[in-house]
């Protein structure tokens, strides 16, 4: 089994499929005003560094990171297909995004996730993220949790 994390444009057919699956996962649990994930177009417009996780060439997950100057980077669109969960791919992707940010001189990583994403919350807390107040353009939201981790 070969695992590769490859920087790719978010508007490829495979990336769009992954993002659509992620949206379908969130839609039943969160109203529109509590879903803060970027569309494919916005990922491109905002210059999000986007990666696809491939197992033996097959796309099985994705994630991105948006740089806000050198102040911090924010995780965007983290997702692993359900049938590939429990294999450590989310941890590999998260470490890859943290390393990528650090390589670009960014030492603070932040993110927003939904309160119903218990596996994701466990992943982030296990990786050393601490809960914080809303940051950037985010407003307080009872359905959202905000995290930060200092890198390096």
């Amino acid at each position: 089994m070969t695992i590769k994390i490859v920087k790719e444009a978010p508007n490829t057919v495979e990336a769009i499929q992954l993002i659509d699956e992620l949206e379908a996962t969130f839609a039943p649990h969160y109203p529109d005003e509590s879903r803060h994930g970027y569309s494919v177009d916005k990922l491109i417009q905002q210059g999000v560094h986007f990666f696809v996780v491939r197992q033996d060439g097959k796309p099985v997950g994705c994630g991105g990171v948006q740089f806000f100057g050198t102040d911090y980077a924010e995780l965007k669109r983290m997702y692993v297909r359900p049938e590939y969960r429990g294999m450590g791919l989310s941890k590999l992707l998260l470490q890859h995004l943290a390393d990528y940010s650090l390589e670009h001189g960014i030492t603070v990583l932040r993110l927003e996730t939904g309160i119903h994403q218990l596996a994701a919350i466990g992943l982030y807390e296990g990786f050393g993220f601490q809960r914080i107040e809303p940051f950037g353009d985010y407003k307080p939201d009872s359905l959202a949790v905000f995290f930060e981790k200092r890198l390096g």
Side-chain angles (χ1 to χ4, degrees), residues 3-136:
I3 304 294
K4 290 187 179 179
I5 300 174
V6 182
K7 189 170 185 183
E8 297 186 20
N11 61 349
T12 65
V13 171
E14 294 170 330
I16 290 169
Q17 288 172 341
L18 290 164
I19 292 167
D20 286 349
E21 288 172 27
L22 172 61
E23 278 302 306
T25 300
F26 288 150
H29 303 288
Y30 303 99
D32 288 346
E33 62 272 13
S34 292
R35 292 200 333 253
H36 305 288
Y38 285 0
S39 66
V40 170
D41 288 341
K42 191 167 182 179
L43 288 169
I44 294 167
Q45 291 166 0
Q46 295 297 317
V48 173
H49 305 268
F50 191 79
F51 298 85
V52 172
V53 180
R54 294 181 174 277
Q55 178 182 311
D56 298 326
K58 182 178 179 178
V60 299
C62 63
V65 64
Q66 181 179 6
F67 297 161
F68 289 85
T70 56
D71 294 339
Y72 66 93
E74 181 181 353
L75 292 181
K76 293 287 187 186
R77 311 275 60 186
M78 282 275 301
Y79 177 71
V80 171
R81 288 183 160 144
E83 62 269 30
Y84 294 94
R85 293 179 188 163
M87 301 171 61
L89 299 176
S90 294
K91 290 178 188 174
L92 285 174
L93 179 58
L94 187 53
Q95 185 64 59
H96 181 84
L97 295 173
D99 291 345
Y100 185 84
S101 298
L102 200 53
E103 288 167 9
H104 287 83
I106 298 172
T107 59
V108 176
L109 196 53
R110 294 180 177 161
L111 66 96
E112 175 274 335
T113 193
I115 61 169
H116 302 299
Q117 307 318 114
L118 300 180
I121 291 169
L123 170 70
Y124 301 135
E125 289 177 340
F127 198 76
F129 278 86
Q130 303 293 317
R131 291 181 189 227
I132 60 170
E133 294 298 314
F135 60 91

